Amino acid sequence: MDRDFAEPLDVPSLAKVALMSPAHFSRRFRAAFGETPHRYLQRRRIERACAMLRDTPTTVTEIALAVGFDSLGTFSRTFAQIIGRPPTQYRSEATPLDVPTCFVKSWTRPSSFG
């Protein structure tokens, strides 16, 4: 999921890779990560979108499609739910950080715990 976040992924195909039934996969995933596979995937997509908004001049629509969302509306709504503000506001307030990428990812990773 982390590597192929932009691909269309669904629970049945992920469960098949894990050699589990979809229901069992969802339960085990939630027990391990504290959130559903779908929400985890959304967070990874939004995390990547944050980096692109911060570091590139790419349009919000292009970013939404590049990280795996089918529509700008769904992307914007999900982004605001997870980050707390719309993508355009995030871009205007975010500044590129002059530190190694691994630190930026750790510091700016969207949390499911608030």
Side-chain angles (χ1 to χ4, degrees), residues 48-49 51-66 87 91:
R48 181 64 185 134
M52 293 176 76
L53 287 165
R54 205 175 40 249
D55 302 331
T56 72
T58 308
T59 68
V60 174
T61 302
E62 291 171 330
I63 291 171
L65 298 174
R91 173 175 265 168

Side-chain angles (χ1 to χ4, degrees), residues 1-73:
M1 289 173 73
D2 290 333
R3 183 187 65 226
D4 296 329
F5 65 88
E7 300 300 319
L9 299 173
D10 59 14
V11 171
S13 62
L14 294 169
K16 188 175 182 178
V17 171
L19 303 174
M20 296 180 191
S21 72
H24 186 67
F25 175 76
S26 291
R27 283 191 305 272
R28 299 293 297 176
F29 192 95
R30 187 177 188 114
F33 293 97
E35 59 190 352
T36 65
H38 178 71
R39 191 59 166 181
Y40 180 88
L41 180 59
Q42 285 182 324
R43 288 187 188 285
R44 297 293 74 77
R45 288 175 172 170
I46 296 301
E47 178 183 330
R48 181 64 185 134
C50 286
M52 293 176 76
L53 287 165
R54 205 175 40 249
D55 302 331
T56 72
T58 308
T59 68
V60 174
T61 302
E62 291 171 330
I63 291 171
L65 298 174
V67 298
F69 284 88
D70 293 332
S71 75
L72 177 61

